[in-house]
Amino acid sequence: QVPTELWAQQGLRKLYLSDAGLREVPDELAELQHLRTLALDGNELMEVPEAVCDLPHLAHLYLGRNGLQGLPPAFAQLQSLRCLWIEGNFLAHFPRALLQLPELRSLQLGDNRLCRLPSALPRMAGLRGLWLYGNRFQEFPPVLLRMDHIRVLDLDRNRIASFPDLTGLASLRLLSYDHNPVRQPPCVGDEVQLVGDGAQEYMEARQERLQSQQRQEEEEEGTEAAPVSLED
């Protein structure tokens, strides 16, 4: 149980209740209106406590390793939310409420039961990091090709046999595709770090190619340079 005197600390900004064996959270949580970080991971919550949705300044929320199967519609009220970790739950469908959180930057959905993503995902224009490892994707979700601002994408431990050309994702900097039945690394931009089978060889070959191109360009610039006159 959470000590009742905790709810009297209404100026509290961070609250960590991880691995506390909680099955529910008192409604008094909503009185902590200045809360910006809330950790409820590693508990026994079967649904998101209603009071959580009444915290207007909440920016970081950790709900991983509970028994959640979805998020309530009221979750969309968390308009200040920037980081949500909800890994290790039982989500079979992408929570629709998340589509109404355009400022969310980091979304951790690993180790759930997802097999598809909604076509409206690009509404989440602020999203920079998306972790989808350990789900049930059998193909690369095509909607991800429209996530122009995504920087980190983790699809480790799924069932994806092939990847489309990802060079159009100009903001992408890290892609993890390890433990998928792919035969070769995905085709990505030159700035992207890869994690997966064959990634090291792919990046080494890319580095050699880029260095060769750079040498060639330098040589061409030297050839095209106008001769310097040494006349008096």
Side-chain angles (χ1 to χ4, degrees), residues 15-212:
L15 179 58
Y16 298 94
L17 295 172
S18 306
D19 301 303
L22 298 177
R23 295 185 177 181
E24 58 183 21
V25 176
D27 292 340
E28 286 82 357
L29 173 67
E31 297 178 10
L32 304 180
Q33 287 288 291
H34 296 285
L35 211 58
R36 293 187 59 82
T37 299
L38 176 61
L40 291 169
D41 48 310
N43 282 289
E44 300 175 25
L45 301 174
M46 303 303 291
E47 57 186 25
V48 176
E50 291 183 15
V52 170
C53 301
D54 294 327
L55 298 170
H57 300 295
L58 199 61
H60 300 86
L61 177 58
Y62 303 96
L63 291 168
R65 297 180 293 113
N66 278 284
L68 305 177
Q69 297 185 40
L71 299 179
F75 201 87
Q77 297 171 186
L78 297 175
Q79 290 293 303
S80 296
L81 202 60
R82 298 292 182 273
C83 173
L84 174 63
W85 285 34
I86 195 168
E87 79 286 358
N89 280 281
F90 299 92
L91 302 178
H93 303 283
F94 188 90
R96 307 295 297 185
L98 297 181
L99 299 175
Q100 300 179 54
L101 300 176
E103 298 302 319
L104 193 66
R105 297 182 66 83
S106 177
L107 179 56
Q108 166 62 278
L109 283 165
D111 288 328
N112 276 283
R113 300 178 177 182
L114 301 175
C115 60
R116 61 177 59 88
L117 297 176
S119 59
L121 191 67
R123 286 186 200 167
M124 304 180 71
L127 203 59
R128 297 295 181 268
L130 181 58
W131 286 263
L132 296 168
Y133 61 83
N135 276 279
R136 299 181 179 180
F137 293 100
Q138 297 196 21
E139 60 180 22
F140 182 87
V143 69
L144 291 176
L145 294 173
R146 295 192 283 126
M147 298 298 288
D148 298 332
H149 303 295
I150 205 78
R151 293 181 62 85
V152 177
L153 182 58
D154 189 340
L155 287 162
D156 191 8
R157 289 190 287 113
N158 278 281
R159 305 169 187 173
I160 302 172
S162 64
F163 282 76
D165 188 325
L166 301 179
T167 53
L169 294 177
S171 298
L172 192 64
R173 292 297 178 268
L174 176 64
L175 172 66
S176 178
Y177 64 93
D178 210 8
H179 303 100
N180 280 282
V182 292
R183 296 184 177 180
Q184 59 186 19
C187 185
V188 295
D190 290 338
E191 303 295 326
V192 182
Q193 291 290 112
L194 290 174
V195 178
D197 189 30
Q200 189 63 35
E201 295 83 354
Y202 177 94
M203 289 189 291
E204 288 175 356
R206 180 176 66 188
Q207 184 65 20
E208 290 181 7
R209 172 175 57 81
L210 293 175
Q211 289 176 345
S212 176

